[in-house]
């Protein structure tokens, strides 16, 4: 039985931001194990733009594919067998969302309860995913320790800024890599000990110079492609590369300056397990309490009708931090 409708972002073909459209869709009441969420804000991620363009690791179901996996909002109703969530709860969407059928870019959405979690105090915008990715990639997968140097590519992105703050919080030394020097001050304010503009400087040489030719213990890479092998030359012997993004769609080249470790990190692998989610949320909560985690919002767009503008900004790479679309009801 239909209880309400939802303004929902859809696309019928892959392409640029202009393929996005908004349609009023009937919304069923939540069934067993489901919740109805009134969306208050959307967090844009690079995965959203790649999915829309047909460049993500799985393809959209066309026509009328949905989009997006990160939102915050209020639970309006719960289905049978949902015990841990109640109407009125402030929540975030979490792992396990298949964007074509469950995409959260809408003003209301029905989701499996397992894809929703209570919103941590202090996260008033959609930034949980950035800190969970930074924690899981740097600490659990990369094994980052106090005193280690870590090279963070795409450092002005939401995850990049969270990674700078996460590394600095544990006493590691974050080295930010960005295309130009225009964002240096903002990146230093987020904890970067060194900012390297890749358009004008040799990243490996600068890391070597900064570490007195010792090299970094970890590379946290959002780009992938052939550049990963080049970046690995900035590592110490037995260093580690963690690749969590594929901004460069060319095949990743395996580094040959062995010994070293190379890992691919997917946040859902950690946050879809109860123990992993518990550790992630404990770490984020502690950083918010002591003030070392300071979510950086690049820009806020008002209303779902601005979704195309938000996608354009994401693809321009002109922002620092998280892009948010705030909804009104």
């Amino acid at each position: 039985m239909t209880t309400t409708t939802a303004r929902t972002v859809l696309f019928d073909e892959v392409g640029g931001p202009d393929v996005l459209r908004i349609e009023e869709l009937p919304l069923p009441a939540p069934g067993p194990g489901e919740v109805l969420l009134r969306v208050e804000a959307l967090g844009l991620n690079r995965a959203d733009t790649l999915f829309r363009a047909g460049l993500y690791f799985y393809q959209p179901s066309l026509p009328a594919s949905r989009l997006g996996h990160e939102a915050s909002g209020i639970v309006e109703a719960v289905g049978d067998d949902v015990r841990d969530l109640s109407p009125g709860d402030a929540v975030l969407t979490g792992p396990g969302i298949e964007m074509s059928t469950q995409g959260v870019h809408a003003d209301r959405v029905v989701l499996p309860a397992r894809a929703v979690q209570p919103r941590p105090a202090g996260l008033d915008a959609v930034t949980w995913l950035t800190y969970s990715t930074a924690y899981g990639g740097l600490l659990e997968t990369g094994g980052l320790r106090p005193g280690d140097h870590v090279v963070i590519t795409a450092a002005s992105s939401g995850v990049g800024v969270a990674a700078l703050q996460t590394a600095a919080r544990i006493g590691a030394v974050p080295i930010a890599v960005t295309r130009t020097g225009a964002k240096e001050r903002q990146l230093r304010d987020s904890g970067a000990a060194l900012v390297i503009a890749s358009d004008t400087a040799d990243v490996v040489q600068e890391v070597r110079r900064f570490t007195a030719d010792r090299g970094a213990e970890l590379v946290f890479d959002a780009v992938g492609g052939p550049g990963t092998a080049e970046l690995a030359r900035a590592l110490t012997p037995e260093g580690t590369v963690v690749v969590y993004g594929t901004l460069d769609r060319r095949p990743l080249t395996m580094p040959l300056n062995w010994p070293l470790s190379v890992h691919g990190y997917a946040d859902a692998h950690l946050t879809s397990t109860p123990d992993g989610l518990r550790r992630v949320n404990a770490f984020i909560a502690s950083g918010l309490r002591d003030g070392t985690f300071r979510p950086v919002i690049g820009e806020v767009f008002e209303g779902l009708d601005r979704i195309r503008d938000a996608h354009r900004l994401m693809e321009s790479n002109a922002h620092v931090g998280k892009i948010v679309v705030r909804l009104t009801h």
Side-chain angles (χ1 to χ4, degrees):
M1 177 176 126
T2 297
T3 58
T4 187
T5 60
R7 297 187 74 228
T8 305
V9 176
L10 303 172
F11 60 104
D12 301 317
E13 60 182 328
V14 298
D18 288 342
V19 302
L20 299 178
R21 62 183 177 86
I22 298 173
E23 183 176 336
E24 194 90 18
L25 297 181
L27 196 65
E34 294 182 328
V35 299
L36 169 62
L37 173 64
R38 183 179 78 247
V39 178
E40 294 182 326
L42 305 172
L44 223 63
N45 295 284
R46 188 67 63 171
D48 304 332
T49 62
L50 294 173
F51 188 66
R52 184 212 69 225
L55 300 175
Y56 201 46
F57 74 90
Y58 67 91
Q59 291 295 302
S61 299
L62 301 172
S65 174
R66 300 175 67 112
L67 181 65
H69 60 273
E70 187 180 16
S72 64
I74 303 296
V75 174
E76 289 195 327
V78 300
D80 294 341
D81 301 328
V82 176
R83 300 288 179 262
D84 297 332
L85 296 167
S86 302
D89 286 352
V91 294
L92 299 172
T93 58
I97 290 174
E98 196 286 315
M99 286 192 279
S100 278
T101 57
Q102 300 170 326
V104 300
H105 287 185
D107 61 5
R108 282 182 171 82
V109 64
V110 173
L111 293 172
R114 58 175 168 72
V116 175
Q117 62 165 320
R119 190 190 312 170
L123 283 185
D124 55 355
V126 187
T127 54
W128 177 84
L129 183 62
T130 63
Y131 286 100
S132 64
T133 302
Y135 165 79
L138 292 176
L139 275 63
E140 297 234 354
T141 302
L144 189 67
R145 299 168 298 181
D148 286 353
H149 289 79
V150 53
V151 179
I152 298 168
T153 65
S156 63
S157 68
V159 173
V161 169
L164 293 173
Q165 294 179 7
T166 297
R169 183 172 191 268
I170 70 160
V173 184
I175 299 171
V177 178
T178 186
R179 289 186 181 180
T180 73
K183 303 170 183 176
E184 179 171 359
R185 174 45 52 198
Q186 291 163 293
L187 295 175
R188 286 192 178 275
D189 288 345
S190 289
L194 174 68
V195 178
I196 304 173
S198 61
D199 282 355
T200 57
D202 184 302
V203 174
V204 172
Q205 287 184 6
E206 286 300 297
V207 173
R208 289 285 178 186
R209 180 189 61 78
F210 187 69
T211 60
D213 205 35
R214 183 173 180 275
E217 283 75 18
L218 178 63
V219 167
F220 189 52
D221 185 25
V223 181
T228 299
E230 176 65 17
L231 272 176
R233 293 178 50 242
L235 286 170
T236 61
E238 300 187 4
T240 300
V241 178
V242 175
V243 181
Y244 74 94
T246 55
L247 295 179
D248 188 332
R249 299 299 301 171
R250 294 174 295 174
L252 187 146
T253 302
M254 180 67 182
L256 297 178
N257 53 314
W258 302 339
L260 82 168
S261 299
V262 180
H263 300 269
Y265 177 75
D267 199 51
H269 181 71
L270 175 65
T271 58
S272 61
T273 67
D275 282 348
L277 191 60
R278 173 181 54 80
R279 295 194 300 273
V280 164
N281 284 339
F283 187 77
I284 293 173
S286 66
L288 292 170
R289 281 195 304 270
D290 66 22
T292 54
F293 287 169
R294 306 174 306 282
V296 175
I297 306 300
E299 187 161 343
V300 177
F301 292 88
E302 298 292 344
L304 198 60
D305 292 321
R306 300 292 309 280
I307 191 69
R308 298 179 194 87
D309 294 331
H311 274 242
R312 291 186 186 102
L313 178 60
M314 172 67 78
E315 293 185 334
S316 76
N317 298 311
H319 64 290
V320 174
K322 194 73 174 182
I323 297 173
V324 174
V325 179
R326 189 161 54 201
L327 279 62
T328 55
H329 294 266

